[in-house]
Amino acid sequence: MSGTSQVDDEALALLEHLLASSQALQLATLGEGPEASYAPFVFTEGALYIYISELAGHTENLMRSSAVGAMLIEDEAASRNQFARNRIMLQCSAAEVGADTEEYDAVLALYREKHGPTVDLLRSLPDFILFRLTPREGRLVIGFGRAFTLQLPGFQLQPITAKS
């Protein structure tokens, strides 16, 4: 991002930090009503991937409707103020990734690298499904009063300013 200000560089660094260091994301799916949950994830090639059991309510919801909200939020212990935790909120489209694809194997290798040997156990279970969450729109919120829309694809930041 040439020509960006130091403030934009700070926001970009925070965005990259949350995407790289967060272990799990919060999910909002729609079943018979809204359902909140979470799942460990990996981020690669501009998409978030979750590996979840078909026995979970959020999996059934994703199979019924591809619309999903995802949030990555700063750890409570790292936040100076619980009312102003840094966060990324994304509106995504979910799609199942077939177990017979190169994408599946590549993503699960990243999953194991990030989340450890438990992934080997999960791969041996017949009910786990890999989903790709492709962001359609999003927002980065930094503390109080600093917000950016995410221009997708590419996760470029556009400051949100107060309307006059």
Side-chain angles (χ1 to χ4, degrees):
M1 288 179 54
S2 62
T4 60
S5 70
Q6 185 175 7
V7 172
D8 290 340
D9 289 344
E10 179 186 331
L12 183 60
L14 178 61
L15 172 72
E16 291 171 353
H17 172 74
L18 283 172
L19 287 168
S21 68
S22 297
Q23 295 290 312
L25 52 76
Q26 311 302 309
L27 288 171
T29 58
L30 189 60
E32 292 182 22
E35 183 169 338
S37 59
Y38 86 98
F41 79 101
V42 295
F43 176 75
T44 185
E45 304 295 326
L48 304 135
Y49 290 85
I50 56 175
Y51 195 48
I52 53 180
S53 170
E54 68 182 314
L55 303 175
H58 54 229
T59 306
E60 184 179 323
N61 295 345
L62 290 175
M63 295 174 105
R64 206 176 334 187
S65 170
S66 66
V68 59
M71 181 172 67
L72 288 72
I73 188 164
E74 177 181 41
D75 188 299
E76 288 180 15
S79 178
R80 289 179 279 159
N81 186 321
Q82 294 305 307
F83 291 97
R85 288 167 65 193
N86 300 323
R87 58 205 175 273
I88 301 169
M89 295 153 307
L90 300 166
Q91 298 302 313
C92 303
S93 294
E96 185 176 341
V97 177
D100 58 347
T101 65
E102 288 180 24
E103 179 183 15
Y104 184 92
D105 290 330
V107 169
L108 284 182
L110 291 173
Y111 228 92
R112 188 184 193 294
E113 186 178 310
K114 184 171 185 174
H115 298 294
T118 299
V119 174
D120 298 332
L121 170 65
L122 299 179
R123 283 190 84 162
S124 73
L125 302 174
D127 60 306
F128 272 75
I129 301 171
L130 182 65
F131 283 92
R132 178 189 332 99
L133 308 182
T134 304
R136 294 187 323 262
E137 57 185 80
R139 183 173 284 201
L140 169 68
V141 177
I142 302 173
F144 284 112
R146 290 187 60 208
F148 300 82
T149 58
L150 299 174
Q151 305 296 315
L152 300 164
F155 286 82
Q156 293 153 346
L157 299 171
Q158 179 67 42
I160 298 173
T161 56
K163 295 178 177 145
S164 351

